[in-house]
Amino acid sequence: MTKSKKKKRQDDFQKVKLKVGKTKPKADNATNINFRTKGIHLTEQLKKDGSAPTTHRKLNIKDLLSQLHHYSGTVKQGALVGLRELLTLHPSELDQHLSSLLSEVAAVFTDKDPNVRMSATRLLRFIAQSVPAERTCPFFPLLSAHLSCAMTHIETGIQEDALKVLDVLLDHYPALLAARPALLLTNFLELISHKSTGGGARKGQEGKGRSWALSVNPNRNVTGQQWRLTVLLRYVHTYTCVELAEDTHPPLPTYSADSLSCPFLNVSLFSTVEGLSSVEAVRGFASTLVPLLLDVWVEASVSDRSKTDSAHLLTPDAMALMYQVLSVLQLLRKLTPQREHQDALDAWFRSEYLGEFKQQFMKNFPYGNLDTPKQRKRKDAKSSKQTPTVPGQVVEPLALNILLCQVMVSMVILNQREGPAQEPDADWLMPLRGFVQETLSSGAKLSHRHLHTLLETVWRMVITQRSRVTEDLLQAVYVQYQQMNLNLQTRTLLLSFFSRLYLQEHNHIHIARSKVLSRWLAALPIQLSQLGHRNPALSGWLLLSIQAAASRGNKDLLKSLHTHACRLYDPQEGSVVLLPAESQQRLVQLLYFLPVIPQGLLANLSRCCTAGRFSASLAASLIRIIHLRSSLSGWSVGSPDTAVCDVDYISFLFSILTGFSSDELSTLQEAGDESVLPPSPLSPLSLYPTPLEQFTHHWDVEVCHCLETLGSRSQCFDVLQNGICKNLTGLAVVPDSMAAGLLRAVARLLDQSVLPSEALLRFLSHCCLSLLSLVLTLQEAVWGACVAALGSVPRLLRMVLQLLRVGDLCEEELPQLAQILSLLLQHTTLRNHMLANASLLQHIIQDLTRYCQGEAREQWLTDLLYCYSVTMATHRGNLGLRDIY
């Protein structure tokens, strides 16, 4: 039997036997190194850009921005310092890299290194000082997002530095912050509080359903009270700056009796807050914030009472904290700009928090300052927590008490308008009223801000209180109003208060019966006359108040206005000629309300119209008002007794028509002024050349329209003729403006059925010829008046031609006469009148030709003969040149 051979089993991993002298086999994963390499040189990329600006460390802006991503805080701080150095030396880099700079700087707001955050804040302030808000606007959402992260960060140091960043944005970009106030509201809440996680038992005990509670962090470098004071101060400062940014030119305060709203509050900020436009939303936000504010004050007041036995004395820190708490409460009332919503919100505040406010704020009112001795101690780490974080925020007791009055008076409900205060409110309203009255009536000068708040408080009290209480408060305000040397802002504030209060008299009987208000109204005209043009702005506000009271027929004011009217409307020093145009118009409008306009006042008014101290249009308005107040207007104004009698009114119109008073005309006759043109055969009257500005003003003042309304045209002309014959025909020196004005008036008012008297024709012919003698310098309007008078007044042209005696003229006056005749012959409206006086005209031309016979005829005579031949060609006799000789 044969033996079978066993087959060897194949192992998975066979061991290779190495023999001496044999080559070692290559491994399966051996690397093949049979290849060659060559270097790539990027010379252009490695080169430094020599044209880019750099710092003293040879770093450009790209290098510095890249270093802000370094893990080392020292490197990042050096990069921020380098960026500030580079931007200072090269401001153009800021415009080119603004987007990168703002994004990189904002990213380090939350850096863990405090030095980096401080350098970032400094760089941001530098950028904000150089870049306007318009250019920063596209990048502001990114800045506000990083700011929000910093304000809500878990690290306390980052939160504190975030407030410094907020200060920078408030200083330079307050308007941009106004676009996102809702975000800041939440952030400020989270800085001093946190969401409450307490159970239902605590919620039931509090009774208010509070969802937020004050937060306490022992790791802060300051006490909790100082930290909350810092946050509240930033809160108030934020919305103050935003209000100023949105309303750079705020108007004077206005008052609303319907809503009893604060007259000095600007509600434009909160009206744009998304989600707070309804009363319910505002209540929800206030129900969260108000309990926190009360807790802040309770915590501070408890710690403050341990330092003194007098509860009404507060330390400076406690006083500053209470002031900020009250300021935030006052800001909450501005969340709804609508009147009906404001009333509803005030009523809700009263129902929810009046009891707590009385307990926490009114119990020890008024407050005073606790004097604490200052001890000099060396600062160390243990006492650093007690160092105030807001230096310079010193609140005076007066400011605190005034603000508390403002907050508490807003709690008075609206249904107390028509009656006295309700009994439950008397206990806390009485000390408030006593403090306000004592402060105002003390005679001390208050700052504008304090007076601002006190007037708001008085306004609310006056509307809700009655009779004796109202008089006492108004008397206290009047004491402030009577003080001397008040600045314009303060004086205007008090004036606006009384003026707006007077406008509420029809809604409140106790205001209409106020004796203080009557004394204030009666003193306004004398104040206006004394103030004059020294302060035009204040005079304008006085006029607004006077006009409002005069339009309502206030007897006290109208009596005082009548007494001082002559001083106000004095043509030399009166307010009507010294104040700006707008105030002048208001003063003229006041004449409509005067019960009686005496003769002396009319004389002043006529001089104001003719002196050129205000515009011709305003003078025309004044004339129309006087016309309406006269019996000749055809209707009565306000009462059957007219303010101006007929004789005085006609005398007033005649004085304006002549442009000069009787005294001034008498002075002209006796003065012997060198500027007066002497009489001559071509100028029977001595003309006084009125200054061009006065001449133009007198020409523009229209009186004829009022004269035409006196009655029939014949009666009107008869009145004018008697006035001229009685007062003017005996004058030897006549102003040229008066002569031209009379010619225009006579031509306009003359009726065809009336024949003017011989004395009037003689005076008018002298005036017309005297003006025509100035033909070379005559204005077109005056020439038109002369032509109109010659064409409309019967026999006036004949009398003028009869005055032309060629034999009495000197050689120099002959060309002037020829030129006058040529112009009259060329005027088409006078052609028929010239033809009617053809014989007289022919005689004058024959005399001129006789005196100018010679070898060479003068050109002026040739022109005259040509005009005469053309005119006479239309005559039936067809007179030619041969008829002249």
Side-chain angles (χ1 to χ4, degrees):
M1 187 172 173
T2 60
K3 295 182 180 179
S4 58
K5 295 183 178 179
K6 293 182 180 181
K7 292 184 179 180
K8 279 190 174 182
R9 184 171 56 85
Q10 185 73 23
D11 296 334
D12 292 335
F13 300 97
Q14 295 180 1
K15 184 178 181 181
V16 180
K17 294 182 179 180
L18 301 178
K19 296 182 180 180
V20 178
K22 298 294 183 179
T23 304
K24 183 180 179 181
K26 293 181 179 180
D28 293 338
N29 60 348
T31 301
N32 186 7
I33 59 174
N34 295 327
F35 59 86
R36 294 181 180 181
T37 62
K38 291 184 178 180
I40 300 176
H41 301 283
L42 304 176
T43 55
E44 296 298 329
Q45 294 185 13
L46 296 177
K47 282 184 178 179
K48 293 282 186 181
D49 187 6
S51 62
T54 60
T55 62
H56 72 283
R57 297 172 57 196
K58 306 302 180 184
L59 297 175
N60 58 26
I61 193 168
K62 293 183 179 179
D63 298 333
L64 295 172
L65 289 175
S66 63
Q67 288 183 1
L68 291 179
H69 298 278
H70 200 274
Y71 67 89
S72 175
T74 305
V75 175
K76 288 187 281 189
Q77 182 186 6
L80 292 169
V81 175
L83 284 171
R84 186 176 179 184
E85 175 192 348
L86 182 64
L87 296 177
T88 303
L89 298 176
H90 305 281
S92 60
E93 292 292 297
L94 182 58
D95 298 332
Q96 299 176 11
H97 304 277
L98 180 61
S99 175
S100 302
L101 283 168
L102 291 177
S103 61
E104 296 297 340
V105 171
V108 295
F109 287 168
T110 55
D111 193 88
K112 62 181 180 180
D113 193 335
N115 295 325
V116 174
R117 299 194 300 269
M118 180 178 62
S119 299
T121 304
R122 291 176 179 174
L123 179 59
L124 179 65
R125 184 177 295 276
F126 176 80
I127 295 174
Q129 291 172 351
S130 307
V131 181
E134 293 78 12
R135 293 206 55 209
T136 313
C137 182
F139 317 109
F140 199 79
L142 179 63
L143 282 175
S144 61
H146 283 285
L147 174 62
S148 180
C149 293
M151 292 179 69
T152 57
H153 202 275
I154 193 173
E155 292 291 337
T156 58
I158 296 177
Q159 293 179 6
E160 295 171 2
D161 291 337
L163 295 181
K164 299 177 182 178
V165 175
L166 178 63
D167 291 340
V168 175
L169 300 181
L170 285 174
D171 292 341
H172 300 282
Y173 305 124
L176 297 179
L177 282 174
R180 48 191 72 249
L183 181 64
L184 293 177
L185 289 174
T186 306
N187 292 342
F188 277 116
L189 270 180
E190 295 184 359
L191 284 175
I192 62 173
S193 61
H194 62 275
K195 287 271 188 174
S196 178
T197 58
R202 175 177 173 82
K203 182 176 179 180
Q205 290 175 359
E206 292 180 353
K208 298 290 183 182
R210 299 180 183 179
S211 59
W212 291 74
L214 291 180
S215 59
V216 179
N217 193 335
N219 296 326
R220 292 193 185 277
N221 295 327
V222 294
T223 62
Q225 179 179 342
Q226 289 291 341
W227 170 246
R228 293 174 190 125
L229 175 60
T230 303
V231 174
L232 291 177
L233 180 62
R234 292 310 202 292
Y235 181 90
V236 175
H237 181 57
T238 298
Y239 291 105
T240 303
C241 291
V242 172
E243 287 174 4
L244 293 177
E246 290 190 346
D247 195 2
T248 55
H249 300 285
L252 282 169
T254 57
Y255 301 82
S256 172
D258 296 333
S259 63
L260 301 183
S261 60
C262 164
F264 305 101
L265 293 182
N266 186 332
V267 297
S268 58
L269 167 69
F270 293 100
S271 60
T272 61
V273 179
E274 184 179 358
L276 294 180
S277 57
S278 63
V279 179
E280 291 73 16
V282 174
R283 289 176 182 176
F285 179 73
S287 61
T288 300
L289 184 58
V290 173
L292 293 176
L293 296 175
L294 290 174
D295 290 345
V296 169
W297 169 242
V298 169
E299 179 185 287
S301 61
V302 171
S303 62
D304 200 58
R305 288 172 188 168
S306 61
K307 303 177 183 179
T308 178
D309 295 334
S310 301
H312 68 281
L313 298 180
L314 303 178
T315 61
D317 289 345
M319 189 168 293
L321 182 62
M322 185 179 184
Y323 185 84
Q324 299 306 328
V325 168
L326 294 173
S327 299
V328 175
L329 290 174
Q330 189 64 15
L331 286 173
L332 285 175
R333 295 188 60 249
K334 302 192 296 184
L335 289 175
T336 54
Q338 294 82 2
R339 292 182 179 179
E340 60 275 10
H341 292 174
Q342 181 71 64
D343 297 340
L345 186 61
D346 288 341
W348 178 81
F349 266 105
R350 174 186 174 88
S351 62
E352 293 290 326
Y353 300 109
L354 179 59
E356 294 189 54
F357 284 4
K358 289 193 297 183
Q359 177 66 24
Q360 302 300 335
F361 300 136
M362 290 301 301
K363 186 177 181 180
N364 302 310
F365 178 84
Y367 293 95
N369 202 356
L370 177 64
D371 295 330
T372 55
K374 296 182 180 180
Q375 299 179 358
R376 299 182 60 182
K377 294 183 179 180
R378 187 177 63 179
K379 296 182 180 179
D380 52 15
K382 294 182 179 180
S383 62
S384 61
K385 280 190 175 185
Q386 306 302 326
T387 303
T389 60
V390 192
Q393 289 299 324
V394 179
V395 178
E396 299 177 355
L398 179 62
L400 176 64
N401 292 324
I402 290 176
L403 182 58
L404 181 55
C405 291
Q406 183 185 24
V407 173
M408 293 303 299
V409 168
S410 65
M411 297 290 181
V412 181
I413 59 177
L414 298 179
N415 58 14
Q416 296 179 12
R417 288 187 185 183
E418 303 301 333
Q422 291 181 351
E423 195 65 29
D425 294 338
D427 57 338
W428 59 272
L429 274 179
M430 187 175 298
L432 289 176
R433 188 166 54 245
F435 172 80
V436 171
Q437 183 176 340
E438 181 181 356
T439 304
L440 289 172
S441 59
S442 63
K445 288 187 177 180
L446 300 171
S447 67
H448 179 266
R449 184 175 183 179
H450 292 166
L451 184 62
H452 199 272
T453 310
L454 283 172
L455 289 182
E456 175 199 339
T457 305
V458 172
W459 174 269
R460 183 94 181 192
M461 288 183 175
V462 167
I463 297 299
T464 57
Q465 311 298 305
R466 296 191 64 179
S467 64
R468 185 181 58 82
V469 176
T470 299
E471 282 295 289
D472 294 341
L473 290 172
L474 292 182
Q475 179 61 37
V477 178
Y478 194 64
V479 170
Q480 287 288 321
Y481 182 82
Q482 289 180 311
Q483 287 188 3
M484 304 294 293
N485 301 323
L486 294 178
N487 57 41
L488 175 62
Q489 194 177 23
T490 302
R491 180 71 69 184
T492 307
L493 190 64
L494 290 164
L495 185 64
S496 177
F497 171 83
F498 279 112
S499 179
R500 304 294 182 183
L501 189 65
Y502 171 71
L503 295 180
Q504 300 298 327
E505 67 170 359
H506 63 284
N507 294 329
H508 304 275
I509 300 177
H510 62 286
I511 295 179
R513 296 175 179 175
S514 173
K515 296 182 179 179
V516 176
L517 204 56
S518 298
R519 289 200 305 270
W520 171 77
L521 287 170
L524 290 180
I526 184 61
Q527 293 175 16
L528 179 61
S529 63
Q530 292 174 350
L531 184 62
H533 66 289
R534 291 179 296 174
N535 197 327
L538 185 57
S539 296
W541 278 100
L542 283 171
L543 274 172
L544 285 175
S545 303
I546 294 174
Q547 193 174 32
S551 62
R552 291 169 174 249
N554 186 274
K555 295 182 180 179
D556 296 323
L557 180 127
L558 291 178
K559 182 179 179 181
S560 177
L561 186 62
H562 177 265
T563 304
H564 303 94
C566 291
R567 184 174 179 181
L568 288 172
Y569 295 94
D570 186 86
Q572 299 298 328
E573 300 296 333
S575 301
V576 72
V577 297
L578 298 177
L579 291 177
E582 183 179 359
S583 298
Q584 289 179 345
Q585 184 177 5
R586 295 187 184 278
L587 274 168
V588 169
Q589 292 170 354
L590 282 177
L591 295 170
Y592 186 84
F593 305 104
L594 279 179
V596 178
I597 302 179
Q599 187 176 5
L601 178 58
L602 285 175
N604 286 351
L605 294 176
S606 65
R607 290 300 303 129
C608 291
C609 291
T610 58
R613 301 295 294 272
F614 48 67
S615 64
S617 61
L618 187 59
S621 299
L622 188 151
I623 295 172
R624 286 194 296 270
I625 290 175
I626 299 299
H627 174 72
L628 291 176
R629 298 306 312 277
S630 68
S631 60
L632 298 176
S633 63
W635 59 287
S636 59
V637 182
S639 64
D641 298 329
T642 56
V644 184
C645 65
D646 300 347
V647 177
D648 292 342
Y649 174 60
I650 294 174
S651 177
F652 167 75
L653 292 180
F654 191 78
S655 298
I656 298 177
L657 180 62
T658 59
F660 289 81
S661 64
S662 57
D663 295 338
E664 291 174 332
L665 291 176
S666 300
T667 304
L668 282 179
Q669 311 306 313
E670 304 171 357
D673 195 344
E674 296 180 357
S675 61
V676 176
L677 301 177
S680 65
L682 281 182
S683 179
L685 297 176
S686 296
L687 288 181
Y688 169 73
T690 308
L692 179 60
E693 184 178 357
Q694 183 179 353
F695 189 101
T696 306
H697 176 80
H698 178 262
W699 190 260
D700 293 337
V701 176
E702 183 62 48
V703 184
C704 296
H705 175 72
C706 293
L707 287 173
E708 289 175 340
T709 60
L710 294 180
S712 64
R713 294 178 66 88
S714 59
Q715 292 177 342
C716 175
F717 182 79
D718 187 55
V719 170
L720 179 61
Q721 179 175 250
N722 291 336
I724 294 176
C725 295
K726 182 178 180 180
N727 299 287
L728 304 179
T729 52
L731 297 179
V733 180
V734 177
D736 54 0
S737 60
M738 185 180 75
L742 290 175
L743 288 174
R744 181 177 66 167
V746 169
R748 180 171 175 176
L749 299 176
L750 179 63
D751 189 73
Q752 297 298 330
S753 61
V754 178
L755 291 177
S757 64
E758 194 71 21
L760 177 64
L761 284 175
R762 189 181 306 106
F763 178 74
L764 292 179
S765 63
H766 290 174
C767 291
C768 187
L769 184 57
S770 299
L771 288 176
L772 290 175
S773 64
L774 303 176
V775 68
L776 297 178
T777 59
L778 207 58
Q779 298 183 21
E780 183 178 355
V782 180
W783 169 256
C786 293
V787 171
L790 291 172
S792 59
V793 180
R795 298 190 301 142
L796 181 60
L797 179 58
R798 173 176 290 275
M799 295 194 69
V800 171
L801 294 177
Q802 290 174 352
L803 291 174
L804 298 177
R805 299 181 178 86
V806 180
D808 297 337
L809 302 179
C810 61
E811 187 176 354
E812 291 78 7
E813 293 175 335
L814 294 178
Q816 188 176 1
L817 173 60
Q819 189 173 7
I820 293 173
L821 293 175
S822 299
L823 291 174
L824 294 177
L825 288 169
Q826 293 174 13
H827 212 287
T828 56
T829 59
L830 295 178
R831 178 167 297 178
N832 293 332
H833 297 277
M834 298 297 288
L835 291 175
N837 297 279
S839 59
L840 186 59
L841 181 62
Q842 181 181 358
H843 179 72
I844 296 173
I845 294 177
Q846 289 176 348
D847 290 343
L848 282 174
T849 306
R850 188 179 305 111
Y851 279 99
C852 295
Q853 290 180 350
E855 297 181 357
R857 180 179 293 173
E858 297 290 343
Q859 182 64 37
W860 55 266
L861 183 58
T862 303
D863 295 340
L864 175 61
L865 294 176
Y866 174 76
C867 293
Y868 177 76
S869 62
V870 171
T871 303
M872 293 297 110
T874 60
H875 194 260
R876 288 181 304 174
N878 195 17
L879 297 176
L881 292 178
R882 57 184 176 85
D883 298 321
I884 300 176
Y885 304 100

